[in-house]
């Protein structure tokens, strides 16, 4: 790949050239024709598509073809819970929420806490499980439909995912994994398996329903290598290849790279208290000149300005207002201080509202979480009908491969005590 930037599932650095990524990864650009089609089907084009924040896809037209014929798809996305959620993570999730509302479809949401345990030296299993919960609160706070949204952690849902994962793993050679992900002899062996775990939810809806279900995965472009593998293997297992739609990265407040959890000063977390968030915005990198006089004379440079990017990506939906702001800046009619203050106000009120919803999410999160324990426990606990219980015990037995006469053991977890 181009030397000036790097985009892999575990590292994004430099100034990303997205047009080049489309070429290198071999995806399709989201062009005007597709946007017109989108408008025809849904009635409008959301900001994320208009502004090319979601800029690339695989097989989106196929998903729309099926949808127009009356066959609905399922959404799948996820999060690697390595820390608190920041605004950059919310972008694809908000778009996913828009997709759920617009097409009225279910969402499977994977927390790859196993992956983050394996890929981050400093994190324990307890840490990543904890972040699965914390991050899930942010997902729930965005307002997904509890009846149609299933959030699961790999560590807590592995029994369900594992069978699909090993079907994938059997068809993925070490040599391919090395070529796609750049693994070498010092890579821990767990990492070699995790792409199979990430493939599993793309096939889970088909496994559950006993027929092929089309899946659309909204995700940041850095995850594409995983889904190239998934798509490669899908037909070998008799499943549809999942389609996908890809977003760019929200730049950091330092004005370059993506907003990264490892640089807390230039990253706004959903859990930041408003005062801290305000301070971060006020110390952001701008496209301003060295002095007010210079700026009045020469104008600012919005294209390199972190503050302008925040308006563009998240905080100014109105296209005309955004253009007016840009023009004023270029003409030297607005100073950076004013622009920052205004953005800080918007960020703070967003955070206040989000944090309220995040608190409420704690009361309803159980409605969203699926785990092996909850599924098994629910099934055995709920039905009153003896025949139904016998049937479920039999299928549980088959599922767990317990020998005739053995007692089925369900591991107790905190939630069951
Ligand atoms: N590996 C992803 C990450 O580190 C998390 C993830 C799992 C994901 N499944 C996904 C992201 C599906 C997007 C779509 O962030």
């Amino acid at each position: 790949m181009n030397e000036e930037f790097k985009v892999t599932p575990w590292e994004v650095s430099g100034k990303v050239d997205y047009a080049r990524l489309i070429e290198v990864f071999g995806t399709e650009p989201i062009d005007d024709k597709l946007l017109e089609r989108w408008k025809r089907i849904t009635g409008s084009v959301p900001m994320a598509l208009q502004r090319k924040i979601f800029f690339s896809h695989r097989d989106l037209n196929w998903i729309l073809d099926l949808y127009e014929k009356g066959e609905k798809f399922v959404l799948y996305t996820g999060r690697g819970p390595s820390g608190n959620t920041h605004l950059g993570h919310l972008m694809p999730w908000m778009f996913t929420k828009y997709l759920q509302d617009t097409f009225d479809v279910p969402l499977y949401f994977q927390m790859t806490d196993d992956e983050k345990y394996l890929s981050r030296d400093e994190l324990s299993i307890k840490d990543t499980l904890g972040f699965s919960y914390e991050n899930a609160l942010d997902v729930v706070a965005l307002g997904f439909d509890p009846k149609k949204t299933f959030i699961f952690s790999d560590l807590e849902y592995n029994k369900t995912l594992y069978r699909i994962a090993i079907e994938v793993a059997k068809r993925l050679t070490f040599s391919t994994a090395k070529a796609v992900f750049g693994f070498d002899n010092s890579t821990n062996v767990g990492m070699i398996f995790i792409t199979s775990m990430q493939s599993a939810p793309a096939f889970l809806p088909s496994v559950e329903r006993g027929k092929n279900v089309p899946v659309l995965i909204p995700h940041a472009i850095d995850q594409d290598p995983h889904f190239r593998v998934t798509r490669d293997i899908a037909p070998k297992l008799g499943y549809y290849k999942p389609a996908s739609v890809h977003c760019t990265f929200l730049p950091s407040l330092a004005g370059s790279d993506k907003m990264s959890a490892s640089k807390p000063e230039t990253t706004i977390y959903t859990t930041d208290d408003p005062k801290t968030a305000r301070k971060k915005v006020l110390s952001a990198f701008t496209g301003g000149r060295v002095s007010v006089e210079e700026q009045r004379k020469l104008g600012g440079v919005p294209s390199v300005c972190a503050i302008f990017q925040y308006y563009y990506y998240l905080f100014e939906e109105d296209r005309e207002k955004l253009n007016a702001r840009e023009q004023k800046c270029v003409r030297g009619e607005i100073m950076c201080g004013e622009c920052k203050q205004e953005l800080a106000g918007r960020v703070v009120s967003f955070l206040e509202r989000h944090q309220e919803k995040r608190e409420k999410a704690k009361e309803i999160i159980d409605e969203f979480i699926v785990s092996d324990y909850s599924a098994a426990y629910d099934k055995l606990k709920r039905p009153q009908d003896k025949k139904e219980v016998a049937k479920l015990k039999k299928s549980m037995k088959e599922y767990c491969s317990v020998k005739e006469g053995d007692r089925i053991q369900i591991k107790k977890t905190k939630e069951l005590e």
Side-chain angles (χ1 to χ4, degrees):
M1 191 176 296
N2 191 310
E3 306 307 319
E4 291 146 42
F5 67 94
K6 199 168 173 188
V7 175
T8 79
W10 300 285
E11 190 190 347
V12 176
S13 61
K15 183 161 173 32
V16 181
D17 178 344
Y18 291 105
R20 177 98 186 99
L21 269 188
I22 288 179
E23 274 171 39
V24 177
F25 284 0
T27 64
E28 306 282 327
I30 293 183
D31 55 16
D32 291 346
K33 203 168 144 217
L34 185 49
L35 293 186
E36 272 162 34
R37 183 171 191 206
W38 195 274
K39 188 163 181 199
R40 196 155 27 81
I41 295 173
T42 69
S44 62
V45 180
M47 178 178 121
L49 289 178
Q50 268 172 29
R51 296 192 186 167
K52 302 277 155 81
I53 293 169
F54 273 81
F55 69 106
S56 147
H57 73 98
R58 290 183 190 273
D59 280 345
L60 196 49
N61 277 305
W62 168 69
I63 286 284
L64 295 176
D65 288 345
L66 292 180
Y67 182 80
E68 285 194 300
K69 282 188 211 138
E71 188 175 349
K72 280 204 179 175
F73 56 90
V74 163
L75 290 163
Y76 157 40
T77 193
R79 154 85 176 132
S82 54
N84 287 321
T85 304
H86 59 61
L87 296 184
H89 300 128
L90 294 187
M91 258 174 22
W93 303 351
M94 285 168 167
F95 185 66
T96 304
K97 159 89 166 79
Y98 154 82
L99 292 172
Q100 179 173 75
D101 291 347
T102 303
F103 295 96
D104 188 27
V105 286
L107 164 66
Y108 286 61
F109 196 109
Q110 177 180 42
M111 295 288 176
T112 52
D113 36 21
D114 54 348
E115 175 200 356
K116 292 299 141 174
Y117 169 66
L118 289 165
S119 66
R120 299 290 182 96
D121 285 342
E122 74 282 10
L123 295 178
S124 68
I125 289 184
K126 225 173 132 192
D127 291 335
T128 60
L129 252 177
F131 284 129
S132 280
Y133 173 77
E134 289 294 325
N135 296 171
L137 291 176
D138 290 298
V139 175
V140 171
L142 292 180
F144 287 98
D145 181 347
K147 287 193 214 77
K148 294 204 184 78
T149 305
F150 310 95
I151 305 176
F152 48 87
S153 119
D154 280 357
L155 290 167
E156 299 278 295
Y157 205 42
N158 52 71
K159 197 169 183 175
T160 301
L161 298 175
Y162 188 65
R163 288 184 178 202
I164 309 173
I166 56 166
E167 283 194 285
V168 175
K170 189 171 180 176
R171 287 152 184 95
L172 172 62
T173 65
F174 184 37
S175 132
T176 302
K178 277 200 287 194
V180 175
F181 299 106
F183 295 148
D184 61 30
N185 280 352
S186 69
T187 307
N188 73 61
V189 297
M191 286 297 284
I192 297 156
F193 184 62
I194 59 99
T195 194
S196 303
M197 284 298 276
Q198 188 154 329
S199 291
F203 306 136
L204 183 57
S206 300
V207 171
E208 286 173 339
R209 292 177 205 189
K211 65 169 187 155
N212 269 346
V213 177
V215 168
L216 173 63
I217 314 175
H219 64 81
I221 189 71
D222 63 331
Q223 297 297 307
D224 183 67
H226 284 299
F227 300 120
R228 276 195 317 257
V229 170
T230 313
R231 284 169 57 87
D232 224 37
I233 291 172
K236 299 182 190 162
L237 297 174
Y239 300 122
Y240 288 143
K241 291 182 178 192
S244 53
V245 53
H246 316 129
C247 69
T248 59
F249 309 107
L250 179 67
S252 92
L253 287 169
S256 60
D257 294 13
K258 69 165 178 172
M259 190 176 259
S260 160
S262 53
K263 288 183 206 139
E265 327 77 64
T266 55
T267 300
I268 294 171
Y269 299 96
T270 59
T271 44
D272 275 349
D273 69 277
K275 241 193 185 158
T276 310
R278 179 178 292 277
K279 238 196 254 157
K280 288 179 184 178
V281 173
L282 296 183
S283 18
F285 176 83
T286 70
R289 306 284 174 179
V290 286
S291 68
V292 173
E293 292 77 56
E294 283 256 297
Q295 185 145 343
R296 289 228 165 85
K297 207 161 73 199
L298 301 170
V301 189
S303 59
V304 301
C305 177
I307 298 289
F308 183 73
Q309 296 304 313
Y310 277 68
Y311 283 114
Y312 183 90
Y313 275 89
L314 287 166
F315 291 100
E316 183 53 87
E317 270 205 58
D318 188 314
R319 203 187 342 182
E320 276 165 26
K321 286 189 185 155
L322 185 76
N323 289 346
R325 183 179 296 279
E326 188 174 16
Q327 285 313 309
K328 266 167 105 181
C329 173
V330 170
R331 287 197 234 106
E333 290 165 15
I334 184 172
M335 298 297 115
C336 297
E338 189 185 335
C339 223
K340 279 180 174 174
Q341 286 291 352
E342 240 184 284
L343 181 68
R346 289 185 199 191
V347 169
V348 164
S349 67
F350 172 81
L351 285 181
E352 283 170 351
R353 258 182 292 137
H354 183 80
Q355 285 166 8
E356 244 170 61
K357 288 186 260 175
R358 200 174 179 280
E359 272 312 299
K360 292 211 182 99
K362 292 179 183 165
E363 286 153 33
I364 54 165
I365 190 162
D366 287 349
E367 294 174 41
F368 291 83
I369 303 275
V370 288
S371 74
D372 293 316
Y373 313 128
S374 67
Y377 183 71
D378 277 1
K379 279 184 188 166
L380 285 179
K381 193 180 69 171
R382 270 196 212 129
Q384 298 301 315
D385 179 28
K386 269 191 187 157
K387 248 166 73 189
E388 186 74 353
V389 173
K391 212 168 81 192
L392 283 169
K393 278 196 174 168
K394 187 165 168 275
S395 68
M396 279 282 294
K397 229 183 226 180
E398 278 162 14
Y399 183 68
C400 304
S401 305
V402 186
K403 274 191 262 89
E404 196 58 40
D406 277 355
R407 266 195 67 208
I408 295 167
Q409 299 271 332
I410 298 166
K411 202 180 133 200
K412 276 205 162 189
T413 63
K414 265 199 299 226
E415 65 186 297
L416 300 186
E417 276 156 15

